[in-house]
Amino acid sequence: MASAASSTAPAVVKDATHGVAPLRAGQGVSFLLRRLHSLSGIVPVGAFLFEHILISNSTAISGPEAYARQVSFLANLPLVFFLELFGIWLPIAFHGLYGFYIWYRGDGNTMEYPWTGNWMYTAQRWTGGIAFAYIVWHTWTMRFTGVDLHVYPSASFGKVQSEVFQIPFFLFYVVGLIAASWHFAYGIWLFSAKWGIVSGEKAQKRFLIVCLAFFFVLTGAGLASLTAFRSRPQQPYEPGTAGLQSAQAAKNQAPKNTGGR
């Protein structure tokens, strides 16, 4: 998966004082696909990562009940299947697969990448690939295998725990989190530079610092969430277990008790 704006290779800039030049006008289907690829890395894919890491997963810090309430809230959004299909799954598939195509074509990795360093652009490609594999695997295991969390949101905390308590999976979570955070944060910088939102060397340098700070915020929040999952006793997550049945019954009765006041 390439970056939010790495769908085109950075132009060789002879005068680095101007920073990264904005994308120039083009034509044809290829240019349109590259524009869509660049934009999709910010909306909706980037927006999804922002919500998932900084909002939904962070509720785990407050415990299983808070996390279950957040899962229940998302599961009960109107037309949730179509929101997931057109807001998450298809955009991620397009952004990731088209990014692999660009990578395969070898469009990028210049020797004269301005002051940010060629290694950052290279890291953007590799973190994109790692993040894509991680997101696909995480979505599949959490959403489409085992207990259905849309039906049993009370099982969500325990289901995540069942993976992060295993060292290989936990390490995969950490690597995937760091890769996705870097790819998104640095992708914001690339998007802003290549679309001409932030132009000029000084402005781009300052904004790069902001984006790198955002990377550390994302990573820190994600690691705090993983620590919260590992620091709590294993919660029940299989349908039919007494603990899960009790939690689900309490959830189902809560609206009735509220209405009786």
Side-chain angles (χ1 to χ4, degrees):
M1 183 169 72
S3 76
S6 62
S7 54
T8 59
V12 175
V13 180
K14 298 300 182 181
D15 184 359
T17 60
H18 298 296
V20 177
L23 290 170
R24 296 180 178 178
Q27 59 183 358
V29 175
S30 178
F31 177 78
L32 176 61
L33 289 176
R34 287 171 181 271
R35 281 281 184 167
L36 290 175
H37 176 261
S38 175
L39 182 61
S40 67
I42 303 298
V43 180
V45 177
F48 162 70
L49 287 176
F50 181 93
E51 189 282 330
H52 194 65
I53 297 174
L54 289 181
I55 299 177
S56 290
N57 281 359
S58 292
T59 60
I61 299 172
S62 298
E65 293 79 13
Y67 190 70
R69 285 195 297 271
Q70 180 66 15
V71 172
S72 178
F73 166 75
L74 295 175
N76 287 284
L77 289 173
L79 302 174
V80 63
F81 172 79
F82 296 100
L83 288 175
E84 290 180 330
L85 179 63
F86 294 106
I88 302 175
W89 303 331
L90 291 181
I92 288 177
F94 167 72
H95 187 79
L97 296 177
Y98 194 71
F100 281 124
Y101 170 74
I102 294 170
W103 196 356
Y104 173 76
R105 289 282 301 273
D107 297 339
N109 214 20
T110 64
M111 295 302 296
E112 296 185 50
Y113 198 55
W115 39 260
T116 56
N118 190 51
W119 68 271
M120 282 191 174
Y121 188 72
T122 301
Q124 190 68 356
R125 293 294 175 93
W126 282 99
T127 55
I130 295 170
F132 181 75
Y134 167 73
I135 291 172
V136 170
W137 171 79
H138 181 60
T139 301
W140 175 255
T141 58
M142 288 293 110
R143 186 72 178 82
F144 299 105
T145 64
V147 58
D148 186 349
L149 299 183
H150 281 197
V151 179
Y152 298 98
S154 299
S156 54
F157 198 92
K159 189 173 184 181
V160 176
Q161 281 184 314
S162 69
E163 292 188 347
V164 299
F165 276 170
Q166 302 178 58
I167 297 300
F169 286 154
F170 173 71
L171 294 177
F172 188 40
Y173 266 80
V174 172
V175 172
L177 166 68
I178 294 173
S181 298
W182 171 268
H183 194 75
F184 178 36
Y186 189 60
I188 294 174
W189 182 85
L190 284 173
F191 176 86
S192 299
K194 299 302 291 183
W195 283 66
I197 298 172
V198 179
S199 59
E201 181 185 7
K202 290 184 179 180
Q204 289 178 0
K205 280 185 175 180
R206 294 192 188 100
F207 190 59
L208 177 60
I209 295 174
V210 173
C211 291
L212 293 180
F214 182 55
F215 159 69
F216 286 109
V217 170
L218 282 174
T219 303
L223 292 177
S225 300
L226 289 176
T227 301
F229 283 113
R230 286 178 60 86
S231 64
R232 303 264 181 165
Q234 174 68 62
Q235 302 294 309
Y237 69 96
E238 290 293 346
T241 59
L244 181 59
Q245 287 178 333
S246 175
Q248 195 69 21
K251 171 184 175 296
N252 293 336
Q253 292 177 3
K256 297 179 181 179
N257 294 336
T258 301
R261 291 178 182 176

